[in-house]
Amino acid sequence: MRFEEQLLMDLKTEMTARNERSRRIGRRLLAGAAVAGLAAVAAVAVPLLTGAEPAYAVSKNANGTITVELKEFRDAAKLEQDLRDLGVPAADVTYLKPYTKCQDDRGALVGGEYDTPEEWRESVHYKVARPGPKGFIIDPRYVRKGQTVLLEFTENPKGPFKSQLNASVIEGPVKPCVPVHDPTQLG
């Protein structure tokens, strides 16, 4: 075998070895990319399917009040149950789109209608729910047996807060919310 033939044989052997290494590395990269892709899909899909990220957080405060921190407008029925578990006899939670509110007559207001802002600030409606440092503070002491606290959260796309709250306490049966335009909101 001449030198040129030996050199050609060595070159073919080296090229075959390089191609094989390249294929192994390519397969490893492809397998790694597939695993990374599956992990990314799982990171997005698992919370969506399992509800791992809660729509809200509730916590009982030392003074008996309850802090509600909304993250998303969903799971109203679960929030109602969580509030019952923390001492609110009955709650009706409604999530509304921007520039809407529930119709005015959803039931008999505890204490009747109020004519002045001073009367309103002294009412249970004003005291039962108010803004807090991490969301809304609900005070179950202002809701008696046979009464329901209405919590109507309206999305607030233009304001500094994600939502605004309209709270009231109803005596007896509560009518379902019928969303209507709210002229007090800009838009």
Side-chain angles (χ1 to χ4, degrees):
M1 185 179 300
R2 295 186 335 212
F3 173 75
E4 291 86 12
E5 290 174 339
Q6 182 61 44
L7 187 59
L8 185 58
M9 291 289 288
D10 290 343
L11 185 60
K12 286 180 181 179
T13 304
E14 179 62 27
M15 291 303 294
T16 303
R18 280 187 186 182
N19 284 341
E20 185 58 34
R21 281 193 303 265
S22 178
R23 274 193 226 115
R24 279 195 307 252
I25 290 171
R27 278 187 245 137
R28 286 182 190 153
L29 287 175
L30 185 60
V35 169
L38 288 173
V41 168
V44 171
V46 170
L48 291 175
L49 296 174
T50 64
E53 180 65 30
Y56 61 87
V58 292
S59 57
K60 187 109 180 190
N61 303 314
N63 64 358
T65 61
I66 302 163
T67 298
V68 177
E69 183 182 354
L70 282 182
K71 298 175 183 172
E72 291 183 53
F73 278 26
R74 62 179 172 87
D75 296 340
K78 183 162 177 11
L79 177 55
E80 291 170 0
Q81 181 60 52
D82 288 346
L83 289 172
R84 279 192 296 277
D85 293 345
L86 292 174
V88 177
D92 183 296
V93 176
T94 303
Y95 299 130
L96 296 157
K97 295 190 181 303
Y99 319 116
T100 63
K101 66 177 186 169
C102 293
Q103 83 281 6
D104 288 330
D105 182 25
R106 292 194 62 199
L109 288 174
V110 170
E113 298 290 330
Y114 298 91
D115 296 323
T116 67
E118 293 78 24
E119 288 177 344
W120 180 256
R121 278 192 291 280
E122 293 301 316
S123 74
V124 297
H125 312 287
Y126 181 80
K127 296 174 183 176
V128 75
R130 61 189 179 281
K134 290 186 177 180
F136 300 97
I137 308 293
I138 309 296
D139 195 335
R141 294 176 295 183
Y142 294 103
V143 187
R144 308 278 180 252
K145 188 173 181 174
Q147 298 176 345
T148 302
V149 62
L150 298 183
L151 301 171
E152 300 167 357
F153 296 96
T154 304
E155 286 185 74
N156 190 6
K158 293 185 181 177
F161 303 103
K162 180 180 177 171
S163 63
Q164 66 183 36
L165 170 66
N166 180 28
S168 56
V169 182
I170 301 295
E171 187 75 52
V174 175
K175 295 177 186 173
C177 174
V178 176
V180 296
H181 177 71
D182 185 355
T184 64
Q185 296 181 37
L186 299 175

